[in-house]
Amino acid sequence: MAERIPEEKINQIRQSVDIVEVVGEYVQLKKQGRNYFGLCPFHGENSPSFSVSPEKQIFYCFGCGTGGNVFSFLMELEGAPFTDAAMKLAARAGIELEIQQTNDSAKAGQKHLQPLYEAHELLNKFYHHILVNTKDGQEALEYLLSRGFTRESIDKFQIGYALDSWEFVTNFLLKRGFKPEEMEKAGLIIKRERDGTYFDRFRNRIMFPLFDQNGKTIAFSGRTMGGENPKYLNSPETAIFNKSKILYNFHLAKPAIRRQNHTVLFEGFADVISADWAGVENSIATMGTSLTPEHIALIRRNSQQVTVCFDSDHAGIEAAFRAGSLLSEAAIDIRIAMMPDGLDPDDYIKKYGEEKFRKEIIGGSLTWMSFKLLYYRRGKNLQNEGDRLAYIEKIISEISILPNAVEKDHYLRQLADEFSLSLDALKQQMTVSGSQNKKQERRQLPKQEHFTPRIAAELKPAYYNAERHLIAHMLRNREIAYKIQEMLKGNTFNHDDHQAIITYLFGYYEEKEQFELGVFLDYIKDEKLRRMVADIGMMSLNEELGERELNDYINQVLKYEKMLKIKEKRAQQKEADSQKDYPRAIQLGKEILDLQRTL
């Protein structure tokens, strides 16, 4: 391992943080009994199967099988190495952490992104300073104020201005020791092909800094003040900026999103900034791209309701439909805020005010099904019989996939009233559409599967469940662990993974005086075994293991081994019969009977 953290520091960090609080920043958790449950952040699901134990300081998903402690949660969720997860948790707990590097290449690997972050942070402050404190930024500031931006919003979102200069930022960064090659890779400057010199990427533009989930500046979007193209010039994707993973303003909106369990999704920066000023603090926007699986996973981890508020032109309606479809597939409750008069959200707020926007646009948003009723009639002449029948058939198909019977009845009655149709006929057609949808879902299912469900323990053989229960008790009590080892009389568990787990466990007991499940998970080197231990650690057990229960588990383990021996001897007996070796066949028969008597 290139980087090493002293074990006492790891234990200090682990004891200073609560896994429920850490996980709760990423997953909406609800307490049920001793544990907390929520939707798994590692795979798509509609019913909560993700469990967190405050008592054991571990998590486990009964759907996809992912499990571990607070360190492995961050490592799995953010794709980070152990050291990064430890540093993040140490900072959270206020613990100073110095990582011991064992070689120079490790140091280089650890620090190679640091200049990119530092340069972006420096330029963010510089651009903002130019805008609000200098004569060079006066015109840009007046432009923003004339467009309805407030000084409070400009400061909150750290909006800035890039000077109308080809090399000011280039020289500014070089004088502060940044390497031009690194700054080019960061997307801040561009290399000229003709002579190899560098020039500024952003010139004479309003600068909107872009932040990651932790509030670090990772990119910029520069907006022109005139008619130049492109209207918005964005940083290229870099080692620290991937627009498919970033949602504008998420780092500031996250507390409000989690508090309200509700996200409002916009198309652009200006809409978010205006909505925030209007009191809609749970506002975010995509980075000029369609929603990606990463965006949806991030939203779903923090809220279960999303209101999509896009422009009301053709492109905006189509974009809202695509976004709503993707969010609906992720089992998120969707509403669509409809903008009137061809206005975008920013324009509406400026024209009608923040209170009307909050109450009539956000508060008056349509359900996803109500939006689809309007969406599918676009471009159709419902006076035309063909268009009308095609529309009715499509809407019935959409109603058939609604999960709630009351919703289905509501929209069928609405359809029946509008077109003077029989409710019974619509219900009959809905039954047909529902069957067709299910057939289509079955055909598409293999393509949509994202994880391998864990086979439920109760469907496993008796010996398998017995070994799991024995391990669960061995994890709770050192004395029971050694008692079980003695009762096995030198025999091993039948399942190789179970035997590997108890081998680790006895090694741990030999080395450590106190047992903590979270510490033991770090002690295990194999990821598959760690997940199994996290799963077993979540099992519900009787407080005390009675002798009868213990003997039953041991007998199941030993019984299976005897059954395997019987099976093996029967095969040998059959072979002896085929070779007419009758004395051997008789002897094997006696051995089989002896084994059967012990079952």
Side-chain angles (χ1 to χ4, degrees):
M1 194 171 170
E3 300 154 333
R4 183 179 174 276
I5 302 174
E7 187 174 349
E8 58 270 19
K9 277 290 185 183
I10 295 174
N11 290 333
Q12 184 186 359
I13 295 167
R14 183 186 290 108
Q15 293 166 6
S16 301
V17 297
D18 180 5
I19 192 170
V20 174
E21 292 181 1
V22 174
V23 174
E25 293 187 358
Y26 301 87
V27 180
Q28 290 280 336
L29 295 173
K30 291 184 178 179
K31 190 171 185 181
Q32 296 180 17
R34 287 185 170 184
N35 297 334
Y36 290 78
F37 287 85
L39 295 173
C40 179
F42 305 114
H43 81 277
E45 63 178 6
N46 298 334
S47 300
S49 63
F50 181 83
S51 176
V52 182
S53 169
E55 179 185 350
K56 301 167 187 172
Q57 289 294 297
I58 63 171
F59 73 93
Y60 185 76
C61 175
F62 295 96
C64 66
T66 304
N69 57 21
V70 68
F71 294 100
S72 51
F73 175 80
L74 287 181
M75 291 166 66
E76 187 82 22
L77 189 69
E78 300 183 354
F82 179 83
T83 50
D84 286 2
M87 290 175 67
K88 189 168 186 176
L89 292 171
R92 176 191 182 92
I95 297 172
E96 291 188 12
L97 184 62
E98 292 185 4
I99 297 178
Q100 300 171 6
Q101 303 282 358
T102 59
N103 57 52
D104 292 338
S105 62
K107 291 181 182 179
Q110 180 73 13
K111 294 182 178 179
H112 110 277
L113 297 179
Q114 196 60 29
L116 278 66
Y117 286 114
E118 290 175 357
H120 276 90
E121 193 61 39
L122 178 64
L123 280 186
N124 180 21
K125 293 177 180 177
F126 175 71
Y127 287 143
H128 184 65
H129 171 76
I130 292 293
L131 177 70
V132 300
N133 295 321
T134 71
K135 291 183 179 180
D136 291 322
Q138 187 65 33
E139 181 182 350
L141 180 60
E142 291 175 358
Y143 171 82
L144 285 170
L145 295 174
S146 70
R147 290 289 304 265
F149 287 80
T150 65
R151 275 302 302 265
E152 291 79 6
S153 292
I154 290 170
D155 289 338
K156 180 175 182 177
F157 291 91
Q158 300 178 45
I159 302 169
Y161 172 66
L163 294 169
D164 189 8
S165 167
W166 285 89
E167 296 176 348
F168 190 94
V169 165
T170 302
N171 294 329
F172 176 77
L173 292 172
L174 292 180
K175 286 179 180 178
R176 279 155 182 78
F178 292 99
K179 297 177 182 178
E181 300 84 4
E182 290 180 334
M183 296 304 96
E184 182 190 11
K185 290 180 180 178
L188 298 173
I189 61 177
I190 300 172
K191 188 176 184 178
R192 294 185 177 94
E193 291 185 7
R194 67 174 186 270
D195 58 7
T197 59
Y198 295 89
F199 63 95
D200 300 354
R201 177 179 295 276
F202 300 102
R203 303 177 302 278
N204 193 28
R205 287 180 178 268
I206 305 291
M207 299 298 288
F208 294 89
L210 309 179
F211 304 90
D212 66 12
Q213 296 179 41
N214 300 314
K216 289 184 179 179
T217 311
I218 55 173
F220 293 99
S221 182
R223 189 196 190 283
T224 180
M225 292 184 289
E228 300 92 345
N229 284 319
K231 182 178 180 181
Y232 282 95
L233 177 65
N234 297 327
S235 294
E237 294 203 344
T238 66
I240 62 172
F241 173 56
N242 183 337
K243 60 185 177 182
S244 68
K245 297 180 180 180
I246 300 299
L247 291 165
Y248 182 72
N249 193 46
F250 181 81
H251 69 298
L252 293 178
K254 183 178 177 180
I257 288 172
R258 294 184 63 79
R259 186 171 61 252
Q260 300 175 38
N261 193 23
H262 179 209
T263 301
V264 182
L265 180 66
F266 294 94
E267 283 187 283
F269 309 146
D271 294 337
V272 168
I273 295 169
S274 291
D276 180 84
W277 175 77
V280 185
E281 296 180 339
N282 52 334
S283 304
I284 60 172
T286 56
M287 308 299 301
T289 65
S290 299
L291 280 175
T292 65
E294 291 87 352
H295 290 148
I296 293 170
L298 181 60
I299 291 170
R300 200 170 67 91
R301 286 201 298 267
N302 291 277
S303 67
Q304 277 303 297
Q305 186 181 87
V306 174
T307 298
V308 179
C309 188
F310 287 2
D311 295 353
S312 58
D313 58 10
H314 176 77
I317 295 294
E318 291 294 335
F321 180 78
R322 289 194 300 272
S325 298
L326 292 169
L327 292 164
S328 180
E329 287 175 7
I332 294 173
D333 181 18
I334 312 301
R335 300 187 73 88
I336 306 293
M338 299 295 291
M339 300 301 307
D341 305 327
L343 298 175
D344 61 31
D346 181 36
D347 293 333
Y348 183 95
I349 292 169
K350 291 183 175 68
K351 185 173 181 179
Y352 296 107
E354 61 270 25
E355 185 176 359
K356 196 169 184 179
F357 177 75
R358 286 197 310 272
K359 291 183 177 179
E360 297 188 11
I361 301 300
I362 302 301
S365 57
L366 301 176
T367 65
W368 177 230
M369 188 64 222
S370 294
F371 173 75
K372 287 194 283 189
L373 290 173
L374 298 176
Y375 176 81
Y376 284 117
R377 68 172 64 212
R378 295 166 68 246
K380 286 186 173 62
N381 177 10
L382 296 185
Q383 301 304 312
N384 177 279
E385 184 179 3
D387 279 5
R388 185 167 64 252
L389 290 174
Y391 171 74
I392 292 170
E393 185 176 352
K394 180 62 181 175
I395 295 304
I396 290 174
S397 176
E398 292 292 333
I399 293 173
S400 73
I401 62 177
L402 291 173
N404 187 291
V406 175
E407 277 188 286
K408 288 180 179 179
D409 185 74
H410 171 77
Y411 290 112
L412 282 178
R413 290 180 185 276
Q414 189 172 319
L415 199 62
D417 291 343
E418 181 179 0
F419 294 101
S420 301
L421 296 170
S422 161
L423 185 60
D424 289 337
L426 292 179
K427 287 182 177 179
Q428 186 177 353
Q429 181 60 37
M430 184 180 70
T431 302
V432 174
S433 294
S435 299
Q436 293 173 344
N437 287 333
K438 287 179 180 178
K439 288 180 182 178
Q440 187 174 359
E441 285 176 7
R442 283 196 291 269
R443 287 196 297 269
Q444 294 176 347
L445 186 59
K447 296 180 181 178
Q448 295 175 344
E449 197 68 55
H450 296 300
F451 71 99
T452 304
R454 182 181 67 87
I455 298 174
E458 58 269 22
L459 300 180
K460 294 285 191 178
Y463 80 86
Y464 184 92
N465 290 329
E467 290 178 356
R468 282 171 54 85
H469 278 84
L470 288 172
I471 293 172
H473 284 289
M474 294 168 80
L475 292 172
R476 292 190 177 189
N477 190 304
R478 185 190 299 258
E479 291 181 6
I480 287 179
Y482 283 107
K483 182 177 181 180
I484 289 170
Q485 184 185 40
E486 184 179 339
M487 293 178 72
L488 287 171
K489 298 177 181 178
N491 294 291
T492 61
F493 279 165
N494 298 290
H495 195 283
D496 290 343
D497 289 338
H498 293 166
Q499 182 60 35
I501 288 170
I502 65 169
T503 301
Y504 270 116
L505 181 61
F506 286 121
Y508 180 93
Y509 279 146
E510 290 296 324
E511 294 179 21
K512 314 235 182 229
E513 292 185 5
Q514 293 185 335
F515 180 83
E516 290 183 41
L517 188 52
V519 179
F520 181 55
L521 288 173
D522 284 337
Y523 184 82
I524 299 173
K525 306 306 178 188
D526 184 272
E527 176 62 28
K528 179 183 176 184
L529 297 182
R530 273 200 296 265
R531 293 187 177 201
M532 291 185 74
V533 171
D535 178 19
I536 292 171
M538 286 291 190
M539 290 173 60
S540 297
L541 300 174
N542 296 327
E543 287 299 322
E544 293 186 9
L545 177 61
E547 286 297 321
R548 183 175 178 179
E549 182 183 0
L550 175 58
N551 285 322
D552 284 345
Y553 292 145
I554 294 293
N555 288 337
Q556 288 293 348
V557 173
L558 298 178
K559 180 180 176 180
Y560 182 73
E561 186 174 346
K562 292 173 184 177
M563 290 175 66
L564 289 178
K565 287 181 179 178
I566 290 172
K567 185 177 180 181
E568 181 184 349
K569 288 184 181 296
R570 279 177 175 165
Q572 293 173 356
Q573 186 185 41
K574 187 176 181 181
E575 183 181 357
D577 281 335
S578 67
Q579 294 177 356
K580 298 183 180 180
D581 186 354
Y582 300 120
R584 175 165 169 72
I586 292 171
Q587 178 60 35
L588 287 166
K590 290 180 179 179
E591 292 175 6
I592 290 170
L593 286 172
D594 290 341
L595 285 170
Q596 287 176 332
R597 289 191 188 101
T598 64
L599 292 178

